[in-house]
Amino acid sequence: MNSEKRIFLVKGDITLLEVDAIVNAANSSLLGDGGVDRAIHKSSGTELLNECKKLNGCPTGNAKITKGYDLPANWVIHTVGPIWQGGTANEDAMLKDCYMNSLSLAVENKIESIAFPAISTGVYNFPLERATKIAVSTVKFFLKTNISIKRVVFVCFGTKAYETYKNNI
Ligand code: APR
């Protein structure tokens, strides 16, 4: 099935999604903080933090996987987006790596449905439109050669993000 048919867009709270894996926009410590990271840790329970503590952090652009515990999702894929520094510090490539590495980890773990938040567009200040284009193009590129992923859901927490994704999908 072509990639466009496997990509979905919803507005809402990623912690409520019933997919195999949700992606967390974490920081390099993987010990939680604010934004979607806080929401995921709050909904999953303290066992998630205990597992994250054993992972020894995660470099920007990389991804690591844990169980989902009390979340509807069975897995959480933690990825660390780039902090926006004006666009001359390789931010685009690192953001692309977040999506590629999260999807590769999903395939390795036989995950068929995965939900992404708008990585780096909150606290990390990555311009929303630019990040959206990278997110959508990277997912489409990956799905072209990976048929095992059946469903990718972009979860937008607000109307602005939702409209931006809608105009770019
Ligand atoms: N469900 C879906 N999306 C959410 C949710 C939620 N419950 N909460 C926030 N978001 C959205 C934000 O609106 C934003 O569009 O997730 C996107 C990413 O924003 P952040 O969570 O701030 O993540 P990011 O910009 O990547 O910054 C990461 O923030 O939370 C800390 O520990 C995290 O230090 C790290 C940094």
Short mmCIF file of all heavy atoms in Angstrom, two decimals, residues 19-73:
data_model
loop_
_atom_site.label_atom_id
_atom_site.label_comp_id
_atom_site.label_asym_id
_atom_site.label_seq_id
_atom_site.Cartn_x
_atom_site.Cartn_y
_atom_site.Cartn_z
N VAL A 19 -2.11 2.89 19.73
CA VAL A 19 -1.22 2.42 18.66
C VAL A 19 -0.15 1.54 19.32
O VAL A 19 -0.02 1.53 20.55
CB VAL A 19 -0.55 3.60 17.94
CG1 VAL A 19 -1.52 4.35 17.05
CG2 VAL A 19 0.10 4.57 18.93
N ASP A 20 0.62 0.83 18.52
CA ASP A 20 1.66 -0.03 19.11
C ASP A 20 2.68 0.81 19.88
O ASP A 20 3.11 0.46 20.97
CB ASP A 20 2.41 -0.80 18.01
CG ASP A 20 1.51 -1.82 17.32
OD1 ASP A 20 0.44 -2.14 17.88
OD2 ASP A 20 1.85 -2.26 16.20
N ALA A 21 3.07 1.96 19.26
CA ALA A 21 4.12 2.79 19.89
C ALA A 21 3.80 4.26 19.74
O ALA A 21 3.33 4.70 18.68
CB ALA A 21 5.47 2.51 19.24
N ILE A 22 4.09 5.03 20.80
CA ILE A 22 4.04 6.48 20.65
C ILE A 22 5.48 6.99 20.78
O ILE A 22 6.31 6.40 21.50
CB ILE A 22 3.11 7.17 21.68
CG1 ILE A 22 3.55 6.91 23.12
CG2 ILE A 22 1.66 6.78 21.45
CD1 ILE A 22 2.78 7.76 24.13
N VAL A 23 5.77 8.06 20.09
CA VAL A 23 7.12 8.63 20.12
C VAL A 23 7.12 9.80 21.10
O VAL A 23 6.20 10.62 21.12
CB VAL A 23 7.55 9.11 18.73
CG1 VAL A 23 8.90 9.82 18.76
CG2 VAL A 23 7.61 7.91 17.78
N ASN A 24 8.14 9.82 21.94
CA ASN A 24 8.29 10.89 22.93
C ASN A 24 9.34 11.88 22.45
O ASN A 24 10.43 11.47 22.04
CB ASN A 24 8.72 10.28 24.28
CG ASN A 24 8.89 11.36 25.35
OD1 ASN A 24 8.34 12.45 25.24
ND2 ASN A 24 9.67 11.04 26.37
N ALA A 25 9.02 13.16 22.51
CA ALA A 25 10.01 14.21 22.20
C ALA A 25 10.76 14.49 23.50
O ALA A 25 10.36 15.34 24.30
CB ALA A 25 9.32 15.47 21.70
N ALA A 26 11.81 13.72 23.72
CA ALA A 26 12.51 13.73 25.00
C ALA A 26 13.68 14.70 24.97
O ALA A 26 13.90 15.40 23.98
CB ALA A 26 13.00 12.31 25.30
N ASN A 27 14.43 14.72 26.08
CA ASN A 27 15.72 15.42 26.06
C ASN A 27 16.80 14.37 26.27
O ASN A 27 16.51 13.21 26.55
CB ASN A 27 15.79 16.53 27.12
CG ASN A 27 15.62 15.99 28.52
OD1 ASN A 27 16.33 15.08 28.95
ND2 ASN A 27 14.64 16.51 29.23
N SER A 28 18.06 14.76 26.12
CA SER A 28 19.14 13.76 26.04
C SER A 28 19.32 12.97 27.35
O SER A 28 19.92 11.91 27.35
CB SER A 28 20.45 14.45 25.66
OG SER A 28 20.69 15.52 26.54
N SER A 29 18.75 13.48 28.44
CA SER A 29 18.87 12.71 29.70
C SER A 29 17.88 11.54 29.73
O SER A 29 18.04 10.56 30.45
CB SER A 29 18.58 13.63 30.90
OG SER A 29 17.17 13.89 30.98
N LEU A 30 16.81 11.67 28.98
CA LEU A 30 15.68 10.70 28.98
C LEU A 30 15.01 10.62 30.36
O LEU A 30 14.34 9.64 30.67
CB LEU A 30 16.13 9.30 28.55
CG LEU A 30 16.55 9.14 27.10
CD1 LEU A 30 16.81 7.66 26.79
CD2 LEU A 30 15.51 9.71 26.13
N LEU A 31 15.20 11.64 31.18
CA LEU A 31 14.63 11.58 32.53
C LEU A 31 13.38 12.45 32.67
O LEU A 31 12.94 12.76 33.77
CB LEU A 31 15.69 12.00 33.57
CG LEU A 31 16.96 11.10 33.55
CD1 LEU A 31 17.95 11.58 34.60
CD2 LEU A 31 16.58 9.65 33.78
N GLY A 32 12.83 12.86 31.53
CA GLY A 32 11.58 13.62 31.55
C GLY A 32 11.82 15.10 31.85
O GLY A 32 12.89 15.50 32.30
N ASP A 33 10.83 15.90 31.54
CA ASP A 33 10.90 17.34 31.84
C ASP A 33 9.50 17.92 31.59
O ASP A 33 8.61 17.63 32.35
CB ASP A 33 11.97 18.02 30.97
CG ASP A 33 12.21 19.46 31.46
OD1 ASP A 33 11.47 19.90 32.36
OD2 ASP A 33 13.11 20.11 30.94
N GLY A 34 9.33 18.65 30.49
CA GLY A 34 8.01 19.28 30.27
C GLY A 34 7.33 18.72 29.03
O GLY A 34 7.66 17.62 28.57
N GLY A 35 6.40 19.49 28.51
CA GLY A 35 5.75 19.19 27.22
C GLY A 35 5.22 17.77 27.12
O GLY A 35 4.73 17.19 28.08
N VAL A 36 5.36 17.22 25.91
CA VAL A 36 4.81 15.88 25.68
C VAL A 36 5.55 14.85 26.54
O VAL A 36 4.99 13.84 26.97
CB VAL A 36 4.87 15.52 24.18
CG1 VAL A 36 6.29 15.33 23.68
CG2 VAL A 36 4.02 14.32 23.86
N ASP A 37 6.82 15.13 26.83
CA ASP A 37 7.63 14.25 27.68
C ASP A 37 6.97 14.08 29.04
O ASP A 37 6.78 12.97 29.54
CB ASP A 37 9.01 14.90 27.81
CG ASP A 37 10.09 13.96 28.31
OD1 ASP A 37 9.80 12.77 28.50
OD2 ASP A 37 11.23 14.41 28.48
N ARG A 38 6.57 15.21 29.62
CA ARG A 38 5.93 15.15 30.94
C ARG A 38 4.60 14.40 30.86
O ARG A 38 4.28 13.57 31.69
CB ARG A 38 5.67 16.57 31.48
CG ARG A 38 4.84 16.57 32.78
CD ARG A 38 4.72 17.93 33.41
NE ARG A 38 6.07 18.42 33.78
CZ ARG A 38 6.34 19.71 33.91
NH1 ARG A 38 5.40 20.62 33.69
NH2 ARG A 38 7.55 20.10 34.22
N ALA A 39 3.84 14.68 29.81
CA ALA A 39 2.53 14.03 29.65
C ALA A 39 2.69 12.52 29.56
O ALA A 39 1.93 11.75 30.18
CB ALA A 39 1.83 14.59 28.41
N ILE A 40 3.69 12.09 28.80
CA ILE A 40 3.90 10.64 28.62
C ILE A 40 4.34 9.99 29.93
O ILE A 40 3.80 8.95 30.33
CB ILE A 40 4.91 10.38 27.49
CG1 ILE A 40 4.27 10.73 26.13
CG2 ILE A 40 5.42 8.93 27.51
CD1 ILE A 40 5.22 10.69 24.94
N HIS A 41 5.27 10.62 30.62
CA HIS A 41 5.71 10.05 31.91
C HIS A 41 4.57 10.03 32.92
O HIS A 41 4.41 9.08 33.67
CB HIS A 41 6.91 10.85 32.45
CG HIS A 41 8.22 10.39 31.88
ND1 HIS A 41 8.94 9.34 32.40
CD2 HIS A 41 8.91 10.83 30.81
CE1 HIS A 41 10.03 9.15 31.68
NE2 HIS A 41 10.05 10.05 30.71
N LYS A 42 3.74 11.05 32.89
CA LYS A 42 2.61 11.12 33.84
C LYS A 42 1.63 9.98 33.56
O LYS A 42 1.17 9.29 34.47
CB LYS A 42 1.94 12.49 33.68
CG LYS A 42 0.94 12.85 34.75
CD LYS A 42 0.71 14.38 34.80
CE LYS A 42 -0.52 14.68 35.65
NZ LYS A 42 -1.77 14.53 34.86
N SER A 43 1.35 9.74 32.29
CA SER A 43 0.35 8.72 31.94
C SER A 43 0.89 7.30 32.04
O SER A 43 0.14 6.35 32.25
CB SER A 43 -0.15 8.95 30.51
OG SER A 43 -0.69 10.23 30.42
N SER A 44 2.22 7.16 31.89
CA SER A 44 2.76 5.78 31.86
C SER A 44 3.02 5.24 33.26
O SER A 44 3.08 4.04 33.47
CB SER A 44 4.07 5.78 31.07
OG SER A 44 5.01 6.52 31.81
N GLY A 45 3.26 6.18 34.19
CA GLY A 45 3.58 5.73 35.55
C GLY A 45 5.08 5.73 35.81
O GLY A 45 5.89 5.87 34.89
N THR A 46 5.46 5.51 37.05
CA THR A 46 6.88 5.67 37.45
C THR A 46 7.79 4.57 36.87
O THR A 46 8.99 4.77 36.78
CB THR A 46 7.00 5.60 39.00
OG1 THR A 46 6.31 4.42 39.43
CG2 THR A 46 6.38 6.82 39.63
N GLU A 47 7.21 3.47 36.46
CA GLU A 47 8.07 2.39 35.92
C GLU A 47 8.79 2.86 34.65
O GLU A 47 9.89 2.42 34.34
CB GLU A 47 7.24 1.15 35.61
CG GLU A 47 6.78 0.39 36.86
CD GLU A 47 5.92 -0.80 36.46
OE1 GLU A 47 4.72 -0.59 36.20
OE2 GLU A 47 6.48 -1.91 36.36
N LEU A 48 8.13 3.79 33.92
CA LEU A 48 8.78 4.27 32.69
C LEU A 48 10.08 4.99 33.04
O LEU A 48 11.13 4.74 32.44
CB LEU A 48 7.84 5.21 31.93
CG LEU A 48 8.45 5.84 30.67
CD1 LEU A 48 8.80 4.79 29.63
CD2 LEU A 48 7.50 6.86 30.06
N LEU A 49 10.02 5.83 34.06
CA LEU A 49 11.24 6.58 34.46
C LEU A 49 12.31 5.59 34.93
O LEU A 49 13.49 5.73 34.59
CB LEU A 49 10.91 7.58 35.57
CG LEU A 49 12.06 8.47 36.03
CD1 LEU A 49 12.62 9.29 34.86
CD2 LEU A 49 11.64 9.41 37.16
N ASN A 50 11.89 4.57 35.67
CA ASN A 50 12.87 3.58 36.13
C ASN A 50 13.57 2.90 34.95
O ASN A 50 14.78 2.71 34.96
CB ASN A 50 12.18 2.53 37.01
CG ASN A 50 11.67 3.14 38.31
OD1 ASN A 50 12.17 4.19 38.74
ND2 ASN A 50 10.66 2.53 38.91
N GLU A 51 12.80 2.57 33.91
CA GLU A 51 13.44 1.94 32.74
C GLU A 51 14.33 2.95 32.02
O GLU A 51 15.44 2.63 31.58
CB GLU A 51 12.38 1.38 31.78
CG GLU A 51 13.01 0.59 30.64
CD GLU A 51 12.04 -0.12 29.71
OE1 GLU A 51 10.80 -0.08 29.95
OE2 GLU A 51 12.52 -0.71 28.73
N CYS A 52 13.85 4.21 31.91
CA CYS A 52 14.65 5.24 31.23
C CYS A 52 15.99 5.46 31.93
O CYS A 52 17.01 5.67 31.28
CB CYS A 52 13.88 6.56 31.18
SG CYS A 52 12.56 6.59 29.96
N LYS A 53 15.98 5.35 33.25
CA LYS A 53 17.22 5.59 34.02
C LYS A 53 18.30 4.58 33.62
O LYS A 53 19.49 4.86 33.72
CB LYS A 53 16.95 5.49 35.53
CG LYS A 53 16.29 6.74 36.11
CD LYS A 53 15.97 6.58 37.57
CE LYS A 53 15.27 7.84 38.13
NZ LYS A 53 14.64 7.59 39.45
N LYS A 54 17.89 3.41 33.15
CA LYS A 54 18.88 2.38 32.79
C LYS A 54 19.42 2.59 31.36
O LYS A 54 20.32 1.89 30.92
CB LYS A 54 18.22 0.99 32.88
CG LYS A 54 17.80 0.62 34.29
CD LYS A 54 17.08 -0.71 34.31
CE LYS A 54 16.36 -0.92 35.64
NZ LYS A 54 15.09 -1.67 35.45
N LEU A 55 18.86 3.57 30.64
CA LEU A 55 19.24 3.72 29.22
C LEU A 55 20.45 4.64 29.02
O LEU A 55 20.96 4.76 27.92
CB LEU A 55 18.04 4.24 28.41
CG LEU A 55 16.83 3.32 28.34
CD1 LEU A 55 15.70 3.98 27.55
CD2 LEU A 55 17.20 1.99 27.70
N ASN A 56 20.89 5.29 30.11
CA ASN A 56 22.05 6.22 30.02
C ASN A 56 21.89 7.31 28.96
O ASN A 56 22.83 7.59 28.22
CB ASN A 56 23.33 5.42 29.70
CG ASN A 56 23.62 4.44 30.82
OD1 ASN A 56 23.47 4.79 31.99
ND2 ASN A 56 23.95 3.22 30.46
N GLY A 57 20.72 7.85 28.87
CA GLY A 57 20.50 9.00 27.99
C GLY A 57 20.46 8.62 26.51
O GLY A 57 20.51 7.45 26.15
N CYS A 58 20.36 9.66 25.68
CA CYS A 58 20.22 9.45 24.23
C CYS A 58 20.73 10.69 23.50
O CYS A 58 20.31 11.81 23.82
CB CYS A 58 18.74 9.22 23.92
SG CYS A 58 18.37 8.90 22.20
N PRO A 59 21.64 10.52 22.55
CA PRO A 59 22.15 11.70 21.82
C PRO A 59 21.07 12.29 20.90
O PRO A 59 20.17 11.58 20.47
CB PRO A 59 23.29 11.13 20.97
CG PRO A 59 23.52 9.73 21.44
CD PRO A 59 22.27 9.27 22.13
N THR A 60 21.17 13.56 20.61
CA THR A 60 20.23 14.22 19.68
C THR A 60 20.18 13.48 18.35
O THR A 60 21.21 13.07 17.82
CB THR A 60 20.69 15.68 19.45
OG1 THR A 60 20.69 16.35 20.71
CG2 THR A 60 19.74 16.42 18.50
N GLY A 61 18.95 13.26 17.87
CA GLY A 61 18.78 12.58 16.58
C GLY A 61 18.63 11.08 16.71
O GLY A 61 18.18 10.41 15.78
N ASN A 62 19.02 10.53 17.87
CA ASN A 62 18.89 9.08 18.07
C ASN A 62 17.56 8.75 18.75
O ASN A 62 16.82 9.65 19.16
CB ASN A 62 20.05 8.58 18.94
CG ASN A 62 21.33 8.47 18.12
OD1 ASN A 62 21.50 9.25 17.17
ND2 ASN A 62 22.20 7.54 18.43
N ALA A 63 17.31 7.46 18.90
CA ALA A 63 16.05 7.01 19.52
C ALA A 63 16.31 5.76 20.35
O ALA A 63 17.16 4.94 20.00
CB ALA A 63 15.02 6.72 18.44
N LYS A 64 15.57 5.63 21.45
CA LYS A 64 15.65 4.42 22.29
C LYS A 64 14.23 4.01 22.64
O LYS A 64 13.34 4.85 22.72
CB LYS A 64 16.49 4.69 23.55
CG LYS A 64 17.97 4.90 23.22
CD LYS A 64 18.84 4.87 24.46
CE LYS A 64 20.33 5.01 24.09
NZ LYS A 64 21.20 5.01 25.30
N ILE A 65 14.05 2.73 22.92
CA ILE A 65 12.69 2.20 23.13
C ILE A 65 12.50 1.67 24.54
O ILE A 65 13.43 1.11 25.13
CB ILE A 65 12.38 1.10 22.08
CG1 ILE A 65 10.88 0.74 22.09
CG2 ILE A 65 13.24 -0.14 22.29
CD1 ILE A 65 10.45 -0.08 20.87
N THR A 66 11.29 1.90 25.07
CA THR A 66 10.93 1.31 26.37
C THR A 66 9.51 0.76 26.26
O THR A 66 8.80 1.00 25.27
CB THR A 66 10.90 2.37 27.50
OG1 THR A 66 9.84 3.31 27.21
CG2 THR A 66 12.22 3.09 27.65
N LYS A 67 9.09 0.06 27.30
CA LYS A 67 7.70 -0.36 27.36
C LYS A 67 6.81 0.88 27.58
O LYS A 67 7.27 1.93 27.97
CB LYS A 67 7.50 -1.35 28.51
CG LYS A 67 8.23 -2.67 28.35
CD LYS A 67 7.75 -3.62 29.44
CE LYS A 67 8.67 -4.81 29.57
NZ LYS A 67 9.93 -4.41 30.27
N GLY A 68 5.50 0.69 27.40
CA GLY A 68 4.56 1.80 27.59
C GLY A 68 3.89 1.79 28.95
O GLY A 68 3.25 2.75 29.36
N TYR A 69 4.00 0.65 29.68
CA TYR A 69 3.43 0.54 31.04
C TYR A 69 1.94 0.91 31.05
O TYR A 69 1.17 0.30 30.31
CB TYR A 69 4.28 1.35 32.04
CG TYR A 69 5.70 0.81 32.10
CD1 TYR A 69 6.74 1.47 31.47
CD2 TYR A 69 5.97 -0.41 32.71
CE1 TYR A 69 8.03 0.96 31.47
CE2 TYR A 69 7.26 -0.93 32.75
CZ TYR A 69 8.28 -0.25 32.10
OH TYR A 69 9.57 -0.76 32.09
N ASP A 70 1.55 1.95 31.79
CA ASP A 70 0.12 2.25 31.93
C ASP A 70 -0.49 2.96 30.71
O ASP A 70 -1.68 3.26 30.70
CB ASP A 70 -0.13 3.12 33.18
CG ASP A 70 0.29 2.39 34.45
OD1 ASP A 70 0.46 1.15 34.36
OD2 ASP A 70 0.47 3.05 35.48
N LEU A 71 0.32 3.24 29.71
CA LEU A 71 -0.22 3.89 28.49
C LEU A 71 -0.99 2.87 27.66
O LEU A 71 -0.71 1.67 27.73
CB LEU A 71 0.95 4.40 27.64
CG LEU A 71 1.68 5.65 28.11
CD1 LEU A 71 3.04 5.75 27.44
CD2 LEU A 71 0.85 6.90 27.85
N PRO A 72 -1.93 3.31 26.84
CA PRO A 72 -2.58 2.37 25.91
C PRO A 72 -1.54 1.77 24.93
O PRO A 72 -1.66 0.64 24.51
CB PRO A 72 -3.59 3.23 25.15
CG PRO A 72 -3.72 4.51 25.92
CD PRO A 72 -2.50 4.67 26.75
N ALA A 73 -0.55 2.55 24.57
CA ALA A 73 0.51 2.06 23.66
C ALA A 73 1.43 1.07 24.39
O ALA A 73 1.75 1.26 25.57
CB ALA A 73 1.33 3.24 23.14
#
